[in-house]
């Protein structure tokens, strides 16, 4: 059987008729300030698409819904969930009701169906948190161009973006380690299909290149502590004295693997994480990490979306600067440590 045809929305009618969704709403409500030819074109589009107005659509011209949708694909990851909570709080503070839809773990057909249902609620705009390439492509293929959409930590072509400056965050990690005197630095990257992970790596490698260096070794994980634990083998063999780990959970796994082998931090290896999760202060040792301003990103994202809903122009991209939080997991390399790891690295690649 073929895929079930989704219900058309007011935005589909607007696109078919070549008018704004506000004009469609006026026609639905019988408003007098619509040219007869335009009204007829809208009604013809409704018939052609099989559009049946919902109760909320009938009243949209008389009153605004003041509902904004929040679309997310992420599960229990600290960064995205913190951003979503910030968006919901900021929307309420501005007098809007957030309607959050999580598409985490769903197949593409299910995700499309839920997005269609969300559009039937006559939301005034959407905030989209879709960090992977596949998720962003799905959202971009479904959402009508006429609908105000703000990409928050997502890359949607032609849509305004608000995001943490992940490239700068990666550079901060490198600059901190370089400032301590490290030259043999490794990297545990996040998943390659996450734009945030790629940008952190870009910033980290660019800062090293400015110092005439490159990562001694780069391995990648899936954001989990388990994958950080597994990364220790490659770092140990490469003989690094410091490492930038792309999130705190993977850093936790790395610390565990090192502890099992009796390798101290920062004596045996300096470690920088990313996110500044609430637990990172209580790791052993307390983790140096890059902090993202999740609440700030959510507030800026909602502010931008409200401006779009009200017909104002917004900047195409706003990046929220991160900062590094220095704790006890990083220190200058000792001569003995640097020499020992450099020798071990050379032996490992023979």
């Amino acid at each position: 059987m073929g895929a079930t045809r989704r219900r058309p929305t007011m935005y589909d009618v607007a696109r078919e008729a070549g008018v704004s969704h506000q004009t469609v709403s006026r026609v639905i409500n019988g408003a007098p300030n619509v040219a007869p030819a335009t009204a007829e074109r809208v009604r013809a589009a409704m018939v052609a698409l099989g559009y049946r107005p919902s109760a909320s659509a009938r009243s949209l011209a008389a009153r605004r819904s003041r509902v904004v949708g929040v679309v997310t694909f992420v599960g229990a990851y600290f960064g995205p969930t913190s951003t979503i909570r910030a968006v919901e709080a900021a929307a309420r503070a501005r007098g809007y009701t957030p309607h959050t839809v999580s598409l985490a773990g769903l197949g593409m057909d299910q995700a499309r169906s839920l997005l269609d249902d969300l559009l039937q609620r006559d939301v005034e705009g959407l905030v989209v948190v879709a960090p992977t390439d596949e998720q962003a492509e799905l959202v971009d293929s479904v959402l009508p161009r006429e609908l105000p959409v703000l990409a928050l930590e997502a890359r949607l072509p032609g849509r305004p973006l608000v995001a943490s400056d992940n490239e700068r965050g990666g550079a901060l990690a490198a600059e901190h380690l370089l400032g301590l005197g490290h030259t043999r630095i490794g990297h545990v990257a996040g998943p390659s299909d996450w734009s945030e992970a790629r940008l952190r790596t870009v910033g980290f490698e660019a800062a090293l290149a400015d110092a005439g260096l490159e990562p001694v070794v780069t391995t990648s994980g899936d954001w989990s502590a388990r994958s950080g634990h597994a990364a220790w083998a490659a770092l140990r063999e490469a003989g690094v004295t410091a490492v930038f780990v792309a999130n705190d959970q993977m850093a936790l796994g790395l610390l565990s693997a090192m502890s099992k082998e009796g390798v101290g931090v920062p004596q045996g290896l300096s470690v920088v994480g990313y996110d500044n999760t609430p637990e990172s202060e209580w790791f052993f040792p307390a983790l140096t990490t890059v902090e993202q301003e999740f609440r700030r990103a959510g507030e800026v994202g909602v502010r931008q979306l409200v401006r779009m809903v009200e017909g104002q122009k917004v900047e195409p991209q706003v990046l929220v600067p991160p900062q590094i939080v220095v704790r006890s997991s990083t220190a200058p390399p000792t001569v003995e440590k640097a020499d020992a790891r450099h020798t071990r690295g050379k032996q490992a690649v023979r």
Side-chain angles (χ1 to χ4, degrees), residues 12 31 41-42 78 83 127 143 154 166 180 220 223 228-229 241 274 278 345:
D12 296 322
R41 195 163 71 249
V42 170
F78 173 76
T83 301
V127 173
L143 298 181
N166 286 280
L180 290 172
S220 61
W223 298 130
H229 189 283
T241 65
Y274 205 105

Side-chain angles (χ1 to χ4, degrees), residues 52 86 173 198 229 251 279 295 297 313 338:
R52 300 181 65 181
R198 294 196 300 267
H229 189 283
E279 300 81 10
R295 183 179 357 182
K313 290 185 178 181

Side-chain angles (χ1 to χ4, degrees), residues 6 32 51 66 88 99 104 198 241 272:
R6 73 175 179 88
Y51 174 72
R66 300 196 72 83
E88 291 172 339
H99 184 86
R198 294 196 300 267
T241 65
V272 177

Side-chain angles (χ1 to χ4, degrees), residues 68-72 87 125-129 148-152 301-302 305:
V68 294
V70 184
V71 177
T72 173
V87 167
L126 290 182
V127 173
V128 175
V129 182
V149 174
L150 188 283
L152 188 60
V302 170
L305 181 64

Side-chain angles (χ1 to χ4, degrees), residues 4-339:
T4 303
R5 185 175 182 270
R6 73 175 179 88
R7 292 180 294 170
T9 68
M10 185 164 56
Y11 297 97
D12 296 322
V13 174
R15 181 169 54 248
E16 178 75 12
V19 298
S20 69
H21 70 276
Q22 292 93 337
T23 298
V24 175
S25 181
R26 295 187 189 101
V27 172
I28 291 170
N29 286 276
N33 56 337
V34 181
T38 301
E40 182 57 34
R41 195 163 71 249
V42 170
R43 285 191 284 268
M46 292 169 61
V47 171
L49 295 175
Y51 174 72
R52 300 181 65 181
S54 65
S56 57
R58 292 190 185 96
S59 63
L60 195 58
R63 62 172 179 82
R64 292 177 56 185
S65 70
R66 300 196 72 83
V67 174
V68 294
V70 184
V71 177
T72 173
F73 286 80
V74 292
Y77 296 114
F78 173 76
T81 55
S82 298
T83 301
I84 291 161
R85 286 196 294 269
V87 167
E88 291 172 339
R92 293 189 185 99
R94 287 180 171 267
Y96 286 80
T97 300
H99 184 86
T100 302
V101 174
S102 175
L103 308 180
L106 299 182
M108 289 301 165
D109 288 342
Q110 291 175 297
R112 287 190 181 92
S113 178
L114 282 179
L115 283 172
D116 290 338
D117 288 343
L118 179 61
L119 294 178
Q120 294 292 335
R121 297 176 181 271
D122 296 315
V123 293
E124 295 197 45
L126 290 182
V127 173
V128 175
V129 182
T132 75
D133 298 334
E134 184 178 35
Q135 294 161 357
E137 289 172 5
L138 169 64
V139 171
D140 188 56
S141 70
V142 172
L143 298 181
R145 303 309 301 181
E146 298 83 0
L147 178 65
V149 174
L150 188 283
L152 188 60
E153 303 294 352
R155 267 60 185 176
L156 304 178
R159 305 287 195 180
L161 167 71
V162 173
S164 176
D165 192 343
N166 286 280
E167 189 170 341
R168 179 58 188 149
L172 285 173
E175 290 166 1
H176 173 66
L177 293 173
L178 290 168
L180 290 172
H182 291 279
T183 58
R184 297 190 57 77
I185 305 173
H187 180 36
V188 182
S192 61
D193 62 336
W194 284 59
S195 59
E196 295 167 284
R198 294 196 300 267
L199 288 168
R200 290 171 196 177
T201 297
V202 167
F204 171 70
E205 291 182 345
L208 288 186
D210 287 344
L213 299 171
E214 60 183 28
V216 174
V217 62
T218 296
T219 184
S220 61
D222 60 6
W223 298 130
S224 70
R226 180 183 296 274
S227 65
H229 189 283
W232 167 235
L235 297 169
R236 180 187 57 217
E237 292 305 314
V240 298
T241 65
V243 61
F244 166 45
V245 187
N247 82 332
D248 289 353
Q249 283 299 107
M250 293 194 296
L252 174 62
L254 174 62
L255 294 177
S256 174
M258 294 174 62
S259 177
K260 290 175 182 176
E261 294 189 8
V263 179
V265 175
Q267 300 88 350
L269 184 72
S270 283
V271 179
V272 177
Y274 205 105
D275 282 339
N276 194 26
T277 59
E279 300 81 10
S280 63
E281 183 180 2
W282 305 102
F283 289 4
F284 186 77
L287 184 66
T288 294
T289 183
V290 178
E291 181 178 48
Q292 302 189 73
E293 297 286 348
F294 296 116
R295 183 179 357 182
R296 177 65 176 157
E299 291 172 348
V300 173
V302 170
R303 185 182 68 204
Q304 294 284 81
L305 181 64
V306 168
R307 287 176 177 173
M308 295 164 65
V309 167
E310 294 176 352
Q312 302 177 38
K313 290 185 178 181
V314 298
E315 304 101 296
Q317 176 174 281
V318 178
L319 297 180
V320 179
Q323 61 181 343
I324 191 157
V325 179
V326 178
R327 299 193 179 108
S328 52
S329 67
T330 52
T334 63
V335 174
E336 293 81 4
K337 177 175 67 174
D339 289 345

